Amino acid sequence: MGMKDFREMKRRGEKIASLTAYDYPTARLLDESGIDIILVGDSLGMVVLGFEDTTEVTLEMMLHHTAAVARGVKRALLVADMPIGTYDTPNEALATAKRLVDVGAQAVKLEGGASHVAQIEAITRAGIPFMAHIGMLPQSVREEGGYKVKGRTQTEADALIADAKAVEQAGAFSIVLEIVLPDVARRISEAIAIPTIGIGSGENCDGQILVTHDLIGLFPWFTPKFVSPEARVAEEIRKATTAFIERTRNGSHNIK
Ligand code: KIV
């Protein structure tokens, strides 16, 4: 799918569906199901690697998982997250983006708005498609002291709209809006021509993204409030494991 198609989808009012993947089978299943965008998110750190937040994720980890996902994707757009500490300068941002592209990413994402225009321009001028991420920034969760809703004050809402315009101007093809007040998410979506992809930001965004583990109930120890899981995969794994343990202990592993 080309970059222009996403703007066109927004223009036509067609919503963009996006999910995360970190491994080959999940990526292939999402791709075969018709998802528009697959993100190798640095949420990898929490839902796959067992860290407390995304701040432990390294570029080596992202490269390893992006390569696996790339092997499973044929038609969706594959976006990879740039982990914390890998885009502090425009040169560093470009070098990181190139390494992710080398292992199969078709686009990259970093967290930040107007503050990161120089990095975004370095990436887009090199011809690498770029997805922005504003609102709640998980890589800053420690400084922020939690995952807090953004856009509650007029100043915060104005800053988010300015961020969205700045990243659009810098060449982003879409913007993730994370936990932004729905009314502010609507105003941002109306203020720019590129699509907004919301997570916990209400229905007025041009598309939606979720962490797949949350959607399918594969990480039962924590589910964000805004997620309505569509499946209970953790329960299925527990059931299958218990059944296997019982069969093993009963000695009923007959070869058919
Ligand atoms: O890391 C991630 O999975 C993300 C999405 C939640 C947008 O950035």
Side-chain angles (χ1 to χ4, degrees):
M1 184 174 281
M3 287 305 115
K4 271 204 186 122
D5 291 350
F6 292 110
R7 264 177 191 254
E8 196 40 36
M9 280 174 83
K10 171 170 178 143
R11 219 187 46 76
R12 290 197 297 259
E14 263 175 60
K15 299 280 185 178
I16 299 163
S18 325
L19 284 168
T20 63
Y22 319 94
D23 58 54
Y24 171 83
T26 311
R28 188 166 167 181
L29 288 167
L30 301 183
D31 196 55
E32 289 175 359
S33 304
I35 200 80
D36 297 309
I37 297 175
I38 294 180
L39 170 71
V40 187
D42 60 358
S43 46
L44 164 77
M46 292 137 90
V47 298
V48 173
L49 302 177
F51 294 122
E52 195 160 321
D53 54 43
T54 62
T55 64
E56 310 274 349
V57 176
T58 65
L59 181 55
E60 291 312 314
M61 294 171 190
M62 289 304 299
L63 293 170
H64 181 78
H65 287 270
T66 301
V69 167
R71 288 189 278 274
V73 177
K74 284 207 167 63
R75 37 152 311 285
L77 181 81
L78 172 47
V79 183
D81 258 345
M82 298 169 62
I84 191 167
T86 67
Y87 52 88
D88 293 343
T89 66
N91 281 346
E92 200 186 354
L94 180 56
T96 300
K98 282 183 172 166
R99 289 194 67 192
L100 289 163
V101 167
D102 283 346
V103 297
Q106 295 166 295
V108 296
K109 168 164 92 56
L110 65 74
E111 295 182 7
S115 58
H116 285 78
V117 157
Q119 283 89 332
I120 298 169
E121 282 177 350
I123 293 167
T124 57
R125 280 191 190 139
I128 300 174
F130 177 79
M131 175 185 253
H133 184 154
I134 64 173
M136 169 57 210
L137 305 179
Q139 290 175 8
S140 309
V141 66
R142 294 190 184 187
E143 293 95 291
E144 298 244 333
Y147 297 90
K148 298 188 179 144
V149 178
K150 296 290 169 176
R152 282 196 188 280
T153 63
Q154 191 59 46
T155 317
E156 227 174 61
D158 290 346
L160 283 169
I161 294 170
D163 277 337
K165 289 183 174 169
V167 298
E168 176 180 38
Q169 185 68 30
F173 74 88
S174 65
I175 311 181
V176 168
L177 300 183
E178 182 155 355
I179 335 182
V180 171
L181 218 59
D183 190 50
V184 177
R186 180 186 53 75
R187 285 170 54 202
I188 295 171
S189 304
E190 287 169 1
I192 55 175
I194 56 172
T196 55
I197 313 288
I199 172 161
S201 301
E203 63 192 14
N204 294 314
C205 298
D206 304 303
Q208 297 289 331
I209 185 161
L210 279 183
V211 167
T212 295
H213 288 52
D214 295 335
L215 176 72
I216 65 173
L218 180 52
F219 196 81
W221 307 281
F222 174 74
T223 308
K225 279 199 210 104
F226 54 81
V227 176
S228 312
E230 295 286 349
R232 294 163 147 265
V233 172
E235 287 313 308
E236 293 302 311
I237 293 176
R238 285 190 169 124
K239 263 196 265 166
T241 308
T242 314
F244 175 78
I245 293 169
E246 267 171 35
R247 269 202 287 152
T248 302
R249 291 185 181 153
N250 297 339
S252 55
H253 274 275
N254 290 332
I255 295 169
K256 285 182 188 147

